[in-house]
Amino acid sequence: MLFNSVAFLLFLPIVFILYWFVCNRSLRWQNVLVLMASYFFYGWWSWKFMVLLGVSTFLDYLYGFGVGLKDRKKARLFLWLSVLNNLGILGVFKYYNFFALQFQQALALLGLHANVVLLQVAIPIGISFYTFHGMSYVFDIYRGEQRPVKNFIDYAVFVSFFPLLVAGPIERASHLLPQIQKKRFFNYTQAADGCRLILWGLFKKVVIADTLAVIVDNIFSHYHDLHGISLVVGAIAFSFQIYGDFSGYSDIALGTAKLFGFELLTNFRFPYFSRDIAEFWRRWHISLSSWFRDYLYIPLGGSKQGKLKGVRNTFIIFLVSGFWHGANWKYIAWGGIHACGFLPLLLLNRNRKHTSDVVAEKRKLPTGKELSQMVLTFAFVTFAWVFFRAADMTEAIGYLKGAVTNYKQPKDFLMCLTVCCYIIPLIACDWWLRRNERSLQVPQLAKPVVYLVLALLVLFYFGKQTNFIYFQF
């Protein structure tokens, strides 16, 4: 079920009414309702996806008890069983065909011919997200940061909570499970904040991202015939398309969770105002970045065991992050590009320069130095996004080559103007809100007008139900 669909606009108030007016006297029944709603939400695409989600959830629930044993040898065995189980699910549904085709091509280079068997199955939506939920749970138990949950319903809600099920944020058991296990009371202020976040998320998705998507699709489909400037504008448009799409989803997810008394982890903090790549990754898809940091980068030794191992671990985490997004060399290239951008900061010990401050925190405008840093960082990120958006490596390289050499074709000023008309207001709004990513800081007198305008724009553009980009991951 899509957030930007009529079905969800009917589904959400029904669940909300049942949750607060029918099941409000019993925490157990509230959690049962959330679980049923989550499986209905997920099964809207296919009931087969529900089966895989249920099996994955049940296995990690059992593994949690094994990992919690005092015998560390047995606990480690169950930990590896969980890792192999989750990676096995990902491997079969998401990566098997990729490796099979690579094996076939490798044999062909040796003059050997092989007919590999490919799986003709759809990749279950959100599979990378809920498998990472399960693995973080057993990792935390093994490290003594979480105790095994006895109530299966509570654990199942943690894995499948519908606002975050298909595209995150990737929650931690230590953060979400305590909220699931304690009594929740309706809070008007929290619910109002949730509604505002949902409205803002829908605006970014329906009005900004979906409009830019049409332009971006057309540019990438005809990049051979377009002027170089049009290709540059197309890459910039995709940067804001994927930002509006994914951060819009996260806003809707956080807002929806607030309606039911939950606070989810922040997933975005205005990443395009970053002053270097390290800061960008502290602001973009924060839950995934922190997941890889805590469960891969630090266990590998991080950067505390010498520069050489720090460089190795940096490339590992970025390449794995790229491969997490999809079974295609373009995603690995995308991760490798970001690793190369991060590397100079690591070697110069500047990768933690901007860890908590906000650009121009006490000023209305950035300094010239801050502005140049943000522009350079955005340009680098946009360059990398071309690999992410292109169909494959060949198209990405051809697109970038065209952006540099295609200057014989006529310029499309109307397209460039249209892109600017959508991204400039978004940049201005984000700059106004940059000190608090959780709420819409609007002057009291202007609130009714602002909310009405946003709602009318969403309704005007609401129509074509397009998937969120990160659903495919």
Side-chain angles (χ1 to χ4, degrees):
M1 190 181 298
L2 298 172
F3 282 161
N4 55 323
S5 67
V6 175
F8 183 75
L9 295 180
L10 296 174
F11 165 84
L12 183 59
I14 292 173
V15 177
F16 179 84
I17 291 170
L18 292 174
Y19 183 85
W20 288 117
F21 295 97
V22 178
C23 303
N24 59 311
R25 294 185 179 181
S26 170
L27 175 62
R28 178 183 179 184
W29 283 110
Q30 279 187 325
N31 288 341
V32 169
L33 174 66
V34 170
L35 182 62
M36 293 173 61
S38 298
Y39 271 76
F40 179 82
F41 175 88
Y42 192 60
W44 190 262
W45 284 286
S46 171
W47 66 267
K48 296 177 182 178
F49 293 167
M50 293 170 54
V51 174
L52 182 63
L53 172 63
V55 171
S56 175
T57 301
F58 184 68
L59 288 175
D60 277 326
Y61 169 73
L62 294 179
Y63 291 141
F65 294 106
V67 173
L69 294 173
K70 293 183 179 180
D71 187 329
R72 299 301 287 173
K73 187 175 181 179
K74 291 182 179 179
R76 191 177 299 111
L77 172 63
F78 282 103
L79 175 69
W80 278 107
L81 285 174
S82 175
V83 171
L84 291 174
N85 172 71
N86 284 289
L87 294 184
I89 291 174
L90 284 174
V92 170
F93 288 95
K94 192 170 181 178
Y95 300 109
Y96 169 79
N97 285 353
F98 173 79
F99 284 115
L101 290 172
Q102 298 307 310
F103 177 70
Q104 185 183 50
Q105 293 174 11
L107 290 179
L109 293 175
L110 299 174
L112 302 174
H113 179 71
N115 290 320
V116 297
V117 178
L118 300 179
L119 297 178
Q120 303 299 323
V121 294
I123 298 177
I125 293 174
I127 187 172
S128 296
F129 289 92
Y130 67 72
T131 52
F132 270 37
H133 277 132
M135 283 195 289
S136 68
Y137 169 71
V138 294
F139 284 153
D140 287 349
I141 294 176
Y142 184 76
R143 301 193 306 189
E145 299 174 2
Q146 173 67 41
R147 299 183 65 180
V149 177
K150 295 182 180 180
N151 189 314
F152 177 72
I153 299 296
D154 291 348
Y155 174 72
V157 170
F158 159 69
V159 175
S160 63
F161 188 37
F162 71 89
L164 54 79
L165 175 56
V166 293
I170 302 172
E171 273 289 342
R172 304 298 180 87
S174 59
H175 180 255
L176 185 56
L177 270 171
Q179 298 182 64
I180 295 172
Q181 294 170 325
K182 71 177 182 180
K183 181 67 176 175
R184 298 176 291 275
F185 300 93
F186 181 77
N187 184 307
Y188 173 80
T189 301
Q190 184 184 39
D193 286 342
C195 290
R196 286 191 285 268
L197 274 174
I198 292 172
L199 178 60
W200 181 236
L202 285 173
F203 171 78
K204 287 197 284 188
K205 166 60 178 173
V206 176
V207 179
I208 304 297
D210 287 354
T211 303
L212 292 176
V214 177
I215 299 172
V216 170
D217 290 347
N218 182 63
I219 292 174
F220 273 80
S221 298
H222 303 92
Y223 70 92
H224 287 296
D225 306 318
L226 297 175
H227 194 277
I229 293 179
S230 297
L231 299 184
V232 173
V233 172
I236 293 173
F238 178 69
S239 294
F240 283 95
Q241 178 202 343
I242 193 170
Y243 170 65
D245 191 285
F246 194 20
S247 70
Y249 177 92
S250 295
D251 287 341
I252 299 170
L254 266 64
T256 302
K258 283 176 177 287
L259 293 179
F260 297 93
F262 294 95
E263 294 290 339
L264 301 183
L265 294 171
T266 298
N267 215 20
F268 285 86
R269 288 196 180 98
F270 310 106
Y272 291 154
F273 297 146
S274 301
R275 288 152 287 185
D276 55 47
I277 292 300
E279 185 181 13
F280 173 82
W281 279 105
R282 280 190 285 272
R283 294 178 175 276
W284 177 275
H285 203 175
I286 300 168
S287 63
L288 179 67
S289 302
S290 61
W291 197 100
F292 278 122
R293 178 197 66 205
D294 294 343
Y295 300 119
L296 182 60
Y297 185 72
I298 292 177
L300 286 173
S303 57
K304 295 183 178 180
Q305 298 181 1
K307 292 293 184 183
L308 187 60
K309 286 190 176 181
V311 171
R312 180 203 66 181
N313 295 339
T314 295
F315 271 94
I316 288 175
I317 194 172
F318 276 108
L319 293 176
V320 171
S321 176
F323 200 48
W324 176 89
H325 285 84
N328 194 308
W329 286 109
K330 65 172 188 172
Y331 294 119
I332 298 175
W334 173 75
I337 291 169
H338 277 277
C340 292
F342 187 91
L343 192 58
L345 299 172
L346 178 67
L347 295 175
L348 295 172
N349 294 320
R350 298 178 60 185
N351 55 304
R352 298 193 60 79
K353 185 176 181 180
H354 304 293
T355 56
S356 59
D357 60 323
V358 177
V359 62
E361 188 167 10
K362 297 181 180 180
R363 289 174 278 108
K364 292 183 179 180
L365 296 174
T367 63
K369 180 180 178 180
E370 288 174 331
L371 181 61
S372 63
Q373 289 173 331
M374 288 190 292
V375 169
L376 289 173
T377 302
F378 176 77
F380 182 88
V381 171
T382 298
F383 164 76
W385 279 136
V386 172
F387 289 86
F388 196 95
R389 170 58 182 78
D392 50 38
M393 289 290 293
T394 301
E395 182 175 296
I397 294 172
Y399 189 98
L400 292 170
K401 182 180 178 181
V404 176
T405 61
N406 288 358
Y407 285 91
K408 296 181 180 179
Q409 293 82 359
K411 300 177 183 178
D412 192 341
F413 288 106
L414 180 60
M415 181 273 293
C416 296
L417 180 62
T418 302
V419 170
C420 290
C421 287
Y422 282 93
I423 67 174
I424 290 177
L426 179 60
I427 294 172
C429 289
D430 271 4
W431 184 258
W432 175 265
L433 300 170
R434 71 189 185 282
R435 296 182 183 89
N436 188 347
E437 76 285 350
R438 285 271 185 163
S439 61
L440 294 176
Q441 299 297 319
V442 181
Q444 191 67 31
L445 294 176
K447 283 184 177 181
V449 176
V450 171
Y451 298 152
L452 178 61
V453 170
L454 288 176
L456 290 175
L457 285 171
V458 169
L459 290 174
F460 180 78
Y461 282 85
F462 201 91
K464 183 181 178 182
Q465 298 172 15
T466 57
N467 282 333
F468 290 81
I469 293 174
Y470 266 69
F471 277 20
Q472 62 185 301
F473 307 132

